[in-house]
Amino acid sequence: MRDRGIRETRVSVGNGLFVTFEGGEGAGKSTQIRLLADALRERGRTVLTTREPGGSPGAEAVRHVLLSGAAQEFGVRMEAILFAAARSDHVEEIIRPALLKGAVVICDRFMDSSRVYQGVTGNLELPFIEALERVAVNGVIPDCTIIFDLPASLGLERVRRRASAAEAPAGQEVELDRFEKEELETHEKRREAFLDIAAADPKRCHVVDASAAASDIAAAVLAIVEPLLPRSGGGGPDTEAAQ
Ligand code: TYD
């Protein structure tokens, strides 16, 4: 499905840099966020790493409702509004204040996940998604979005392997979250939708091959972000948002 072209109104937020990581399941975003944060801290930058849904106490409370599947029976519209409510709290409580202090904010998923998961594969109409996005981000648009691209089958295999290694007691079924349980075809559609977003907004979005070696991906990500860094190192303590 083609990206349906959401219009963005960006406001300037302090001297910070807002970077988001997007992509399907099992793409290795968390590892790469850690590696990028370490590399930027080594360069003297103040870095805040955070995630969605969640990242602020209010949004973390909503996260459980969304990922457990508790909201699923009330429909995709309800889920989309809850993602937006969580995002609004996260933006105003955590992201905007950090950017105003000059930090580099790295967020695991943001508005593009809602465009793809609720908009494209949830079949919600564009004006609805657009309205929620406008209210939730309130002008705080990422300066840079890295899209981790991976065949869906490979991503899901990684998720299952990770879950079985980390969580499932011997002999028991692996517990996947509400979104991980969906069909392979849905995951492939999401991959295409992320690529469409990147094609429609090449200034903000950069696609990286998530099947490459972790060290190569880390180098590619740093090469994208480093030229965008503001001149000064930013103030305030180095921090990680509530998770
Ligand atoms: P999580 O375990 O945090 O994710 P990840 O896949 O990034 O390791 O789960 C977040 C799930 O929520 C993921 O399946 C994508 C979904 N999601 C949406 O459907 N819409 C959104 O706006 C966001 C932020 C996430």
Side-chain angles (χ1 to χ4, degrees):
M1 184 160 184
R2 300 284 94 201
D3 176 56
R4 295 166 298 173
I6 290 187
R7 277 172 291 112
E8 298 163 349
T9 311
R10 184 194 301 263
V11 297
S12 154
V13 187
N15 193 29
L17 183 74
F18 185 23
V19 181
T20 57
F21 280 37
E22 297 276 8
E25 320 290 323
K29 290 182 278 98
S30 338
T31 307
Q32 292 299 329
I33 285 177
R34 236 180 355 258
L35 293 172
L36 177 63
D38 288 348
L40 296 179
R41 285 177 181 131
E42 270 167 28
R43 286 159 177 75
R45 299 290 169 161
T46 298
V47 179
L48 175 112
T49 61
T50 185
R51 67 158 179 201
E52 289 207 347
S56 62
E60 288 292 326
V62 177
R63 175 182 173 89
H64 176 70
V65 175
L66 284 163
L67 297 193
S68 66
Q72 191 175 7
E73 63 172 303
F74 305 116
V76 70
R77 223 166 251 277
M78 172 77 138
E79 287 184 311
I81 292 170
L82 289 173
F83 275 113
R87 180 159 304 129
S88 168
D89 191 70
H90 186 208
V91 164
E92 302 308 341
E93 297 298 320
I94 304 288
I95 299 174
R96 190 192 303 277
L99 292 172
L100 285 170
K101 285 189 196 146
V104 178
V105 176
I106 310 173
C107 188
D108 189 347
R109 297 193 182 279
F110 194 63
M111 62 188 200
D112 298 303
S113 282
S114 283
R115 291 183 185 186
V116 169
Y117 283 73
Q118 283 67 54
V120 177
T121 54
N123 284 318
L124 281 182
E125 62 277 22
L126 183 64
F128 185 78
I129 288 290
E130 199 171 17
L132 286 179
E133 179 178 301
R134 200 166 40 246
V135 171
V137 310
N138 196 13
V140 180
I141 307 284
D143 297 293
C144 170
T145 296
I146 317 257
I147 293 178
F148 285 72
D149 182 50
L150 191 70
S153 55
L154 195 54
L156 285 178
E157 194 187 300
R158 284 189 190 174
V159 166
R160 296 208 168 95
R161 222 182 308 130
R162 197 167 56 204
S164 61
E167 284 157 23
Q172 282 185 25
E173 270 292 292
V174 169
E175 192 55 38
L176 299 179
D177 79 32
R178 176 239 179 290
F179 294 96
E180 287 163 353
K181 281 179 189 150
E182 288 168 325
E183 297 292 324
L184 189 60
E185 194 188 326
T186 303
H187 289 278
E188 271 303 343
K189 246 194 215 165
R190 289 184 185 138
R191 180 189 189 194
E192 289 308 314
F194 277 120
L195 292 175
D196 287 344
I197 288 174
D201 194 353
K203 207 160 164 248
R204 171 173 71 88
C205 301
H206 306 261
V207 178
V208 301
D209 174 4
S211 67
S215 55
D216 293 343
I217 301 174
V221 168
L222 189 58
I224 294 164
V225 173
E226 213 169 11
L228 303 174
L229 291 170
R231 226 158 263 163
S232 86
D238 232 15
T239 176
E240 209 162 285
Q243 296 211 350

